[in-house]
Amino acid sequence: MALWGGRFINESDELFKKFNTSLAFDYILVKEDITASISWSKTLMKSNIITKKEQIKIEQALFELLEEIKTKDKKNNILFSNCEDIHSWTEEKLIDKIGELGKKLHTGRSRNDQITTDLKLWCRKKIYILLDNLIELQKSFICLSETNESVIMPGYTHLQRAQPITFSYWCLAYIEMFRRDVSRLKDALKRLNISPLGSGALAGTAWAIDREELALSMGFNRSTNNALDSVSDRDYVVELLSSASISMMHLSRFSEDVIFFNSGEASFIELSDSITSGSSLMPQKKNPDALELIRSKCGRVYGSLISILVVLKSLPLSYNKDMQEDKEGLFDTIKTWNDCLCMATLVLKNIKINSDICRRAAEEGYSNATEIADYLVKKGLTFREAHKISGQIVLHAIHQKKPLHSLKLSTFHIYSTLIDNDIYKHITLESCLKKRISKGGVAPHQVHEEIRKAKKRLNIF
Ligand code: ARG
């Protein structure tokens, strides 16, 4: 049943019907469509548009419908109906149940304010789940961080061993990123949680309804200010997709780091059998599929963000059917993001750290060269001069195929007589770490303190 038959003489073309329908994807909003309809019926009653008895009847029927769609089969049945969208479906079912009275529900309402209300309610529900998953992921990072405070590994720039860090410190870096994702989502939620219902088609509704009360009854913070904007606004979709894109970028960088740590070349960690797969041909292979999939799924999320931005660009006010294209990318993104957060948490839970290999890699890469430069600065050289000398010492060590700490004092003296025997204690990995006490540095006591703070923040005792 179409909601708009009266003005038309001829039937819609079947091809157009198929092209136009959104039911195949907006059926996901069925719960939100029904609950918002219940709230709407109460508003109609309070404004004396329907009687109390009528409202109770409508509400009961809608509750029945809500119960019915709890089973998967029934939900699937929605798809077999011939309805144009989920709003038409809900109204059709209501009329099936209570007859003529069901036809009163749409008084003062348009699908334009209805769809964006449903979508906001759905987004809000999903944001809470995403926030939980982002917290769970941070908790896994904390667990791993706590048990690996003493594991020294190389930190990289340009994928070259740069300076020693600890495995814990690496975990804390990701905690920072996912914390920002949480704050971005909470911020998006503030702007999203404003009710457009009662905006009508575009210019407000002609019935004297209390939009503010209606908004609060659905858990919104308030109602929107301008109906023209309310039915046109999809900023919250863009914000959610952009928050998702940034978080997926973090997840993809995490994946890439771990794929590298797990590679035969690095072997810093070993991934569990439970999240890896084998090769059909090469028996020795254990592939990091979970991480490769996270890394790649970032692409489709970016795609959805670009897609909605392009859909909305230059779109005249107010509602246009173009906006129906906001949903599939959003639905896919939220699922993908949630799946990837859960998968990343699982990967961390079963990871094994090869601390000896990590340490050896940190020792081998001349990642303590900066210490020689700092040492010479303390002896009075300018940093530029000190940098040059330590570079020469590193080159010498490379030619000798030796780490810096195994060079003789006489070798150091070729390059600078300012170097004394105490150089050896300055260039140990432990010393490199311990010195970095400026805020945010890798000094172990600071890392320890950061872990403590994160545990407190995440309620881990
Ligand atoms: N299926 C539509 C959408 O997703 C619902 C709103 C339809 N409004 C309209 N005027 N045709 O955007």
Side-chain angles (χ1 to χ4, degrees), residues 30 65 69 78 81 83 85-93:
V30 63
L65 204 53
I69 50 124
I78 302 175
S81 80
C83 294
D85 54 31
I86 192 60
H87 323 296
S88 321
W89 183 86
T90 306
E91 193 167 319
E92 185 178 288
K93 291 294 142 197

Side-chain angles (χ1 to χ4, degrees), residues 343-397:
M343 198 43 62
T345 305
L346 191 63
V347 167
L348 287 178
K349 277 199 176 127
N350 295 301
I351 223 165
K352 189 177 148 264
I353 319 289
N354 298 325
S355 50
D356 292 344
I357 297 178
C358 288
R359 188 183 172 96
R360 222 173 303 137
E363 275 169 350
E364 278 169 7
Y366 302 100
S367 63
N368 49 357
T370 316
E371 305 322 299
I372 300 180
D374 283 346
Y375 175 92
L376 288 169
V377 169
K378 281 201 185 119
K379 296 268 171 165
L381 292 189
T382 62
F383 182 74
R384 197 47 57 224
E385 187 60 22
H387 183 279
K388 187 174 150 203
I389 292 170
S390 19
Q392 288 164 342
I393 295 171
V394 169
L395 190 63
H396 185 112

Side-chain angles (χ1 to χ4, degrees), residues 26-39 66 69 75 86-87 90 109 114-126 197 218 331:
D26 69 11
Y27 79 97
I28 280 188
L29 303 172
V30 63
K31 262 195 195 157
E32 285 70 24
D33 200 65
I34 297 173
T35 53
S37 293
I38 293 173
S39 300
L66 212 49
I69 50 124
K75 211 166 178 184
I86 192 60
H87 323 296
T90 306
R109 190 175 69 164
Q114 210 181 340
I115 182 58
T116 184
T117 305
D118 292 359
L119 199 56
K120 280 186 165 187
L121 288 171
W122 184 86
C123 287
R124 188 174 72 192
K125 178 173 80 183
K126 293 295 169 181
L197 199 55
M218 291 184 289
F331 296 162

Side-chain angles (χ1 to χ4, degrees), residues 228-287:
L228 193 62
D229 169 56
S230 309
V231 297
S232 318
D233 172 31
R234 291 295 182 275
D235 289 6
Y236 60 97
V237 176
V238 177
E239 277 199 68
L240 209 43
L241 288 173
S242 109
S243 304
S245 297
I246 295 172
S247 185
M248 284 300 297
M249 176 262 289
H250 293 153
L251 284 162
S252 76
R253 296 182 79 167
F254 156 75
S255 302
E256 179 60 15
D257 266 359
V258 178
I259 288 168
F260 167 65
F261 293 167
N262 183 62
S263 67
E265 279 64 28
S267 296
F268 294 172
I269 60 146
E270 201 185 311
L271 293 171
S272 146
D273 285 0
S274 62
I275 50 105
T276 47
S277 80
S279 155
S280 57
L281 190 139
M282 300 161 281
Q284 83 283 12
K285 291 285 286 291
K286 187 172 161 185
N287 300 326

Side-chain angles (χ1 to χ4, degrees), residues 375 379 409 418-428:
Y375 175 92
K379 296 268 171 165
L409 189 59
L418 291 171
I419 298 176
D420 289 324
N421 230 340
D422 61 349
I423 186 69
Y424 295 103
K425 72 169 192 270
H426 278 280
I427 59 172
T428 63

Side-chain angles (χ1 to χ4, degrees), residues 22 26 85 87 111-112 115 319 321 324 327:
S22 52
D26 69 11
D85 54 31
H87 323 296
R111 281 183 295 166
N112 298 354
I115 182 58
Y319 180 84
K321 200 57 172 270
Q324 183 163 289
K327 287 172 207 60

